[in-house]
Amino acid sequence: PPRSTLFPYTTLFRSELTGKININTATLDELKSLPGIGESKAQNIIKYRTEKGNFTDISKIKEVEGIGDSLYAQIEAYITIE
């Protein structure tokens, strides 16, 4: 079977080494694949990046409107800045 059938959650935007999503380069749809991140939060992440530049640490994502400690705890294992 094709790779997509064997690994339906494997996507090109995830880092090949870590399997994590780079929050500095991810698209809207890529961000929406994170648990608890919908359209508006994904847009807020992109807006933050556009206005303030790339994240220097993954915890800085908590500065984005709508992302607090609870949501950060859900996505921390899935995100990277590398």
Side-chain angles (χ1 to χ4, degrees):
R3 180 182 170 101
S4 61
T5 303
L6 294 174
F7 304 101
Y9 301 108
T10 302
T11 52
L12 296 175
F13 57 83
R14 292 185 188 269
S15 165
E16 290 298 316
L17 296 176
T18 64
K20 296 182 179 186
I21 293 177
N22 185 327
I23 56 174
N24 285 328
T25 60
T27 66
L28 184 75
D29 286 337
E30 292 163 356
L31 292 167
K32 285 169 44 183
S33 75
L34 292 165
I37 303 292
E39 185 85 18
S40 64
K41 286 186 178 79
Q43 287 176 345
N44 288 347
I45 293 168
I46 293 172
K47 180 180 176 188
Y48 180 96
R49 277 191 330 220
T50 303
E51 294 175 355
K52 301 190 178 185
N54 283 346
F55 295 96
T56 55
D57 183 83
I58 62 169
S59 66
K60 295 284 187 186
I61 199 167
K62 293 190 286 184
E63 296 177 6
V64 174
E65 181 181 347
I67 301 179
D69 291 334
S70 176
L71 182 53
Y72 176 72
Q74 292 178 49
I75 65 172
E76 180 181 15
Y78 305 105
I79 59 175
T80 185
I81 56 165
E82 299 173 356

